Amino acid sequence: MDSLPGARLVIRGLSKGFERKGQPPLEVLRDIDLAIAPNEFAVIVGPSGCGKSTLLNIIGGLEQADEGEVLMDGERPITGPGADRGMVFQGYSLFPWLSVRKNIEFGPQVNGLPASERRAIAEHYIDAVGLGGFEDTLPKALSGGMRQRVAIARTMANRPQILLMDEPFGALDAQTRIVMQEMLVDVWQRERSTVVFITHDIDEALLLGTRVYVMSRRPGRIAAVLDVALDGPRSHELLADPGFLALRQRIMSMLWEEAQAAALE
C-alpha cells in the first residue's frame, strides 16, 4: 500500500514472530502495509489468532516488530510507548481508590498541569462520555459500561494523537455494547480523534469504522481495505441498511474463506 499523503500512521513491511520452546517460531504477522489518515476511524477485523492484538501492541510500542517500520505522521519511528498514543483495553484498569474525576485527571496531573486546567479537562471528558453526576463516584459503584466510559475519558484526557482500542466492549452485554458504540461514535465525531479499533464483531466494525481493514488468517496480512460510506447517523438503525448488509456479507465471506483455508492447513 502506498503511503497516504499526510498520514497519521504509516506501517511498511511489518512482520512479527514469537519463539516457542522446542518448536519452530510462530509467525504471527507478515508484510503488513497500511496508512491511516488523521481523524480516520480505522477498524481491524480478522480471524481469531491472526495477530490483530499483536499489531495494535506494536503500534502502541508495547512490542517490537521483527521487520518493517511504524511511523507517526509518516516520519517519526515508533520504538516504544509514548504520549502521542493512548490505549484502551477490554479491562478497565482504573484506580479503584480514585473517583471518576480523579481517574480522568491522573494523566494531566502526571504531566504537570495545574489543578484548574486538570479539572477543566476532566469536566470536558466527563460530559463527552455522559458521566455527569458521577464525578465523585468510585469505580466499584459503577457498571461495566460506565467504567469503560471512565477508561476512555481518562485516555482521551491525555490528548493522544491516536486512540488505540483492543476490543474495549468485548466484555459488555449486547444492549450496553450498542449504547457504548453509539457513545464512542459521538465522541469521535466531536473530538475528531484518530482511532485504531480492534474487534471480531463485523457489525461493530461497520457501525464504528470509516474504513475497515480485513486481515487474513495467521500469519496475518491485510487482505482487504473497505471504505464504509453509509448515509445517515452512525447508530444501531444502520444494521438494517442495505449498504450495511452488503458490506457485512462481503466481510463475512472473506472471513469464512480464511477460516476454511486455515482448517485445511
Side-chain angles (χ1 to χ4, degrees), residues 15-17 57-58 61-67 78-81:
S15 297
K16 174 69 176 178
N57 286 338
I58 292 172
L62 302 180
E63 295 182 25
Q64 297 296 314
D66 296 331
E67 298 178 9
I78 290 175
T79 58

Side-chain angles (χ1 to χ4, degrees), residues 22-33:
Q23 299 182 62
L26 180 66
E27 188 181 15
V28 177
L29 299 170
R30 178 187 294 172
D31 201 24
I32 299 286
D33 290 310

Side-chain angles (χ1 to χ4, degrees), residues 47 217 254-264:
R217 65 191 183 278
M254 285 188 283
L255 295 181
W256 176 251
E257 288 176 7
E258 291 293 334
Q260 290 290 93
L264 295 174

Side-chain angles (χ1 to χ4, degrees), residues 4 14 20 24 28 42 46 151 156 159 166-167 169 189 203 223 244:
L4 185 70
L14 187 147
R20 297 186 294 175
V28 177
M156 296 189 74
R159 306 291 172 86
D166 192 357
E167 299 199 57
F169 308 144
Q189 288 175 333
D203 288 350
F244 183 102

Side-chain angles (χ1 to χ4, degrees), residues 6-231:
R8 177 66 73 204
L9 178 76
V10 173
I11 297 176
R12 298 194 189 104
L14 187 147
S15 297
K16 174 69 176 178
F18 292 101
E19 295 294 331
R20 297 186 294 175
K21 188 175 181 179
Q23 299 182 62
L26 180 66
E27 188 181 15
V28 177
L29 299 170
R30 178 187 294 172
D31 201 24
I32 299 286
D33 290 310
L34 60 83
I36 293 174
N39 307 328
E40 180 177 336
F41 200 125
V43 180
I44 300 174
V45 299
S48 178
C50 73
K52 299 185 294 295
S53 293
T54 299
L55 177 59
L56 199 75
N57 286 338
I58 292 172
I59 297 171
L62 302 180
E63 295 182 25
Q64 297 296 314
D66 296 331
E67 298 178 9
E69 60 183 354
V70 184
L71 305 172
M72 285 289 296
D73 299 321
E75 58 184 23
R76 290 189 286 115
I78 290 175
T79 58
D84 53 359
R85 285 149 288 136
M87 299 194 73
V88 179
F89 300 98
Q90 192 174 119
Y92 315 120
S93 302
L94 302 176
F95 297 117
W97 59 89
L98 294 181
S99 67
V100 167
R101 180 186 288 111
K102 293 299 183 183
N103 262 287
I104 297 170
E105 286 185 8
F106 182 81
Q109 182 177 6
V110 170
N111 292 330
L113 297 184
S116 59
E117 190 171 347
R118 297 197 306 264
R119 188 178 184 91
I121 291 172
E123 293 297 334
H124 172 78
Y125 286 105
I126 286 169
D127 177 67
V129 301
L131 283 175
F134 293 90
E135 294 88 342
D136 299 316
T137 305
L138 293 176
K140 66 180 181 181
L142 301 175
S143 67
M146 294 173 78
R147 292 180 192 179
Q148 195 61 290
R149 288 172 188 252
V150 180
I152 293 169
R154 186 180 65 177
T155 302
M156 296 189 74
N158 293 316
R159 306 291 172 86
Q161 291 178 290
I162 298 182
L163 187 62
L164 306 173
M165 310 186 80
D166 192 357
E167 299 199 57
F169 308 144
L172 303 177
D173 65 82
Q175 185 174 358
T176 302
R177 187 167 185 156
I178 290 173
V179 171
M180 293 296 293
Q181 289 164 352
E182 294 186 357
M183 179 277 298
L184 181 59
V185 167
D186 181 63
V187 171
W188 169 74
Q189 288 175 333
R190 284 191 279 164
E191 299 289 326
R192 303 308 296 174
S193 307
T194 302
V195 179
V196 182
F197 190 103
I198 300 293
T199 185
H200 65 274
D201 187 307
I202 298 172
D203 288 350
E204 182 169 74
L206 293 173
L207 182 65
L208 297 176
T210 56
R211 186 170 290 145
V212 175
Y213 298 81
V214 183
M215 291 184 66
S216 70
R217 65 191 183 278
R218 187 173 62 234
R221 302 173 304 279
I222 301 298
V225 180
L226 305 176
D227 289 319
V228 184
L230 298 172
D231 295 330

